[in-house]
Amino acid sequence: MVGVNATSIVLEWVLGSTQGDISGKIGQILWLIRLYFVVPLLRICLYFCLFLSLLLSLEWIHLMIVSVIVKLFRKKADKRYKFEEIKDDLEGGSEAFPLVLVQIPIANEVEVYKLSIGAACKLSWPTDRLIIQVLDDSSDQAAKNMIEKETSRWANEGINITYEARDHREGYKAGALKQGMEQDYVKQCEYVAIFDVDFQPDPDFLRRSIPFLMHNPQLGLVQTRWRFVNADACLLTRLQEMSLDFHFRFEQEVGSSGYGFFGFNGSGGIWRINAMNDAGGWDWRTTAEDMDLSVRAALKGWEFLYLGDIQVKSELPSSIKAHRSQQHRWFCAPANLFRTTLVPIAVNKKVSLKKKLYMLLSFFLVRKVVGHVFVLLFYCVVLPLTILFPEVVIRKDGAIIAPCIIAAVNTVVGTPRSLYLILHWILFETAMSYRRTKSIFVGLFRWKSVNEWVVTEKLGDSLNNKTNIESADPKHRERAKALEDRILLPELAIAVFILACGCYGFFFGKEYYYYVYMLLQVIFLTLMGFSCFGLKNTASLSSHT
């Protein structure tokens, strides 16, 4: 009732005035709204952003401290866990080697299947102690024929390799892996190594990693580092390399060294099959099936080990469309998983309080949610608005200097060769923040596209295999892109908003110079809005279901 009375008084005050006074009193009302509503609301948003910034800063300090301790005290994997190299025994044969299963899930990715299958078949592990599974979920029959033919070729050379195909994609990758584990011959295996179709392990991969699992029964997973063969393809791949190098160098290393937990990356890792079974096996309740399995195994008491010294060659998305679809899955699914596992983690009795706090606060809340929501809210909303409302003051060190220093230090340690791209990286990450934040909320609230899966487009040896690729399905070879795929209206709208704020700051700002950064951000948002990053989208057989 108070609000209604106040509104009536204001209306009577305006309407009861002469025509000449109305414009002036409307201006007064707008000034009161600005003073008592907009400015306080903007301050609240600013304080909220400062709180999120504090969480991010604490997380960054935490990662840096643990990383430095690991480096100073040389707490490498072979110092923390028992490791004995498996030696070839000419008399005993291959009895010292455990039976290992290698799984390669494929779904229409004809550009790279030869590389991954060939690398797996060249692993220096006794042939009678190795089973390679090619799990084909391809929807195109020509692709299936090509992959099956390649599998048969290696089988004829004496490799123990099997071809398993499905006529549906239920559960996507998790469904294929689960069906592969249900085969009778898998019951004899002790460990399973998983490689996505664009991954190429070195021949000694198993010899350098399996012994950790053999001699440390508490370990359920060994994860290795990804090395990107196409990092220099374009600016987009260079910027992705910087983000992922930081992920492996800090997040995975700290999780492994300090807490015995991190998220399985879905490829380039080896699971103890008993640990997988104990955790309930593969589940497709989210499209983060790898992270889901990691959480469930950790809650059963299993520990994980990250081996940064072992690197597996892989490929980065080189088109912005492929990168966007990958990022949607990488941010939507963990947010959905966080929502699903929040209570099970909190009430679990097998996990220490230290590990629980790490999983809930550091691993999920700060890295998977807070970080990207903060970037969008602060740099794309609050900071531009402070130019229009100078009553709300933001310290320059908190707005620009501190984030740049943090990003620079991360780059120096993570990807030193890309230090000169640090500003590009900051601007690109901000330009991607809308898509990531949207994906996070889709996952948290389980909106329509929560379980959407788009196979990430690969290049591989497509140039050398052009004839085969084109023959697979000519319909997917068209290079023209639909207008709606190339023009992203939300990013362009944000760019226009920031441009307006930046121009206002340029012409009327006296004390604040944030508009300089704003105008740079407009450039990257515009490039993102017109999908100008990366190489031209190569044709692929990726399915969208």
Side-chain angles (χ1 to χ4, degrees):
M1 292 299 295
V2 176
V4 174
N5 291 336
T7 303
S8 300
I9 293 172
V10 171
L11 288 174
E12 291 178 4
W13 176 51
V14 173
L15 296 176
S17 304
T18 63
Q19 186 67 27
D21 294 335
I22 291 179
S23 60
K25 290 189 175 181
I26 290 178
Q28 293 178 10
I29 293 174
L30 294 177
W31 180 82
L32 290 174
I33 293 175
R34 172 191 178 106
L35 182 63
Y36 292 105
F37 178 73
V38 178
V39 170
L41 180 61
L42 186 57
R43 283 202 179 101
I44 291 174
C45 292
L46 173 60
Y47 296 148
F48 180 62
C49 287
L50 292 176
F51 172 70
L52 298 183
S53 179
L54 175 63
L55 290 180
L56 288 173
S57 299
L58 292 175
E59 171 66 7
W60 179 83
I61 293 171
H62 158 244
L63 291 175
M64 289 296 295
I65 290 176
V66 176
S67 180
V68 169
I69 290 176
V70 171
K71 187 173 182 179
L72 288 178
F73 292 94
R74 299 186 178 279
K75 293 178 62 177
K76 292 186 177 180
D78 57 353
K79 302 295 182 182
R80 293 181 287 119
Y81 294 94
K82 183 179 180 181
F83 178 87
E84 291 182 5
E85 184 179 354
I86 306 176
K87 297 181 180 179
D88 295 302
D89 189 347
L90 297 178
E91 296 182 359
S94 60
E95 294 181 0
F97 293 82
L99 188 59
V100 178
L101 174 70
V102 174
Q103 291 184 313
I104 306 174
I106 302 177
N108 295 319
E109 295 140 308
V110 295
E111 295 87 354
V112 289
Y113 74 98
K114 287 186 177 181
L115 298 176
S116 60
I117 294 176
C121 292
K122 294 176 183 177
L123 288 168
S124 60
W125 199 259
T127 305
D128 61 330
R129 308 301 292 169
L130 184 68
I131 303 175
I132 300 174
Q133 266 188 351
V134 177
L135 305 172
D136 191 4
D137 267 7
S138 299
S139 57
D140 181 77
Q141 188 58 47
K144 282 182 175 289
N145 295 338
M146 292 159 56
I147 297 168
E148 185 175 14
K149 181 179 179 181
E150 180 70 9
T151 304
S152 299
R153 185 177 72 83
W154 283 102
N156 293 334
E157 294 185 15
I159 302 298
N160 190 0
I161 184 170
T162 64
Y163 176 79
E164 307 286 349
R166 301 195 300 170
D167 56 3
H168 60 84
R169 290 207 65 204
E170 182 184 6
Y172 303 113
K173 178 181 174 180
L177 294 172
K178 183 178 181 66
Q179 181 169 304
M181 296 299 298
E182 292 173 349
Q183 303 302 316
D184 290 338
Y185 55 82
V186 174
K187 297 177 182 178
Q188 309 171 43
C189 301
E190 298 179 55
Y191 311 103
V192 53
I194 301 170
F195 301 105
D196 283 347
V197 69
D198 58 314
F199 278 69
Q200 305 166 52
D202 289 334
D204 62 350
F205 177 87
L206 295 178
R207 290 178 177 266
R208 297 177 62 190
S209 53
I210 288 290
F212 284 103
L213 291 166
M214 292 176 60
H215 302 297
N216 302 276
Q218 75 275 27
L219 287 179
L221 166 69
V222 168
Q223 174 69 56
T224 61
R225 183 167 180 168
W226 297 358
R227 177 161 57 91
F228 311 107
V229 296
N230 66 329
D232 294 323
C234 58
L235 178 61
L236 176 62
T237 54
R238 288 292 295 273
L239 298 177
Q240 290 178 76
E241 179 192 38
M242 294 167 69
S243 297
L244 289 171
D245 278 351
F246 172 78
H247 165 70
F248 284 107
R249 175 64 182 83
F250 287 96
E251 295 175 351
Q252 298 296 74
E253 182 62 65
V254 168
S256 174
S257 303
Y259 305 93
F261 170 79
F262 51 82
F264 173 45
N265 291 114
S267 183
I270 306 175
W271 277 95
R272 185 188 302 274
I273 293 181
N274 284 342
M276 293 180 63
N277 294 336
D278 187 32
W282 292 107
D283 194 311
W284 50 84
R285 56 181 176 173
T286 77
T287 53
E289 73 290 326
D290 44 12
M291 190 180 296
D292 186 6
L293 180 59
S294 303
V295 171
R296 287 186 281 115
L299 295 182
K300 290 291 185 177
W302 294 96
E303 295 182 7
F304 307 151
L305 174 62
Y306 169 68
L307 298 176
D309 294 336
I310 303 178
Q311 300 184 359
V312 184
K313 291 182 288 186
S314 62
E315 182 181 323
L316 292 164
S318 55
S319 73
I320 190 61
K321 181 181 177 182
H323 180 63
R324 287 200 313 266
S325 65
Q326 183 192 69
Q327 293 294 290
H328 172 76
R329 190 172 72 251
W330 283 10
F331 287 91
C332 173
N336 185 21
L337 182 63
F338 179 42
R339 175 183 179 276
T340 304
T341 59
L342 176 61
V343 174
I345 294 174
V347 302
N348 186 273
K349 296 181 179 180
K350 291 187 178 181
V351 177
S352 66
L353 179 61
K354 173 185 173 183
K355 182 177 285 190
K356 284 184 183 181
L357 292 175
Y358 174 76
M359 293 173 70
L360 291 174
L361 298 180
S362 180
F363 181 79
F364 273 117
L365 182 62
V366 177
R367 296 184 207 164
K368 311 302 181 187
V369 179
V370 168
H372 306 282
V373 174
F374 163 77
V375 171
L376 176 67
L377 180 62
F378 185 68
Y379 288 102
C380 296
V381 180
V382 174
L383 185 58
L385 284 176
T386 58
I387 296 177
L388 304 180
F389 299 91
E391 300 96 326
V392 182
V393 180
I394 300 180
R395 291 173 56 92
K396 295 182 179 63
D397 54 352
I400 301 296
I401 300 176
C404 288
I405 292 176
I406 291 175
V409 173
N410 290 347
T411 306
V412 168
V413 179
T415 316
R417 76 188 188 98
S418 298
L419 181 60
Y420 71 97
L421 293 175
I422 186 61
L423 181 59
H424 298 73
W425 180 76
I426 294 173
L427 295 170
F428 178 77
E429 291 292 297
T430 307
M432 282 294 301
S433 63
Y434 167 77
R435 294 287 158 179
R436 290 170 177 165
T437 301
K438 177 184 176 182
S439 298
I440 288 170
F441 281 98
V442 168
L444 288 176
F445 297 103
R446 294 186 62 83
W447 291 340
K448 183 177 180 181
S449 59
V450 63
N451 285 323
E452 178 183 85
W453 183 292
V454 180
V455 177
T456 304
E457 184 181 64
K458 313 289 192 317
L459 284 179
D461 59 351
S462 57
L463 294 178
N464 297 327
N465 199 28
K466 184 175 180 182
T467 302
N468 287 340
I469 294 171
E470 289 181 347
S471 64
D473 190 349
K475 293 186 297 184
H476 293 277
R477 296 300 133 199
E478 298 179 1
R479 296 186 179 275
K481 297 301 176 180
L483 189 62
E484 58 270 21
D485 283 342
R486 294 196 58 83
I487 298 181
L488 311 177
L489 294 180
E491 281 80 358
L492 292 177
I494 296 173
V496 171
F497 166 69
I498 295 178
L499 177 62
C501 295
C503 290
Y504 180 88
F506 177 77
F507 289 108
F508 302 105
K510 296 180 180 179
E511 185 177 348
Y512 306 104
Y513 297 94
Y514 299 144
Y515 61 83
V516 177
Y517 175 80
M518 296 292 100
L519 295 176
L520 290 174
Q521 187 59 62
V522 167
I523 296 174
F524 269 69
L525 279 165
T526 303
L527 292 173
M528 182 68 69
F530 287 107
S531 301
C532 294
F533 285 100
L535 304 177
K536 290 183 179 180
N537 289 345
T538 57
S540 72
L541 294 175
S542 301
S543 59
H544 185 171
T545 54

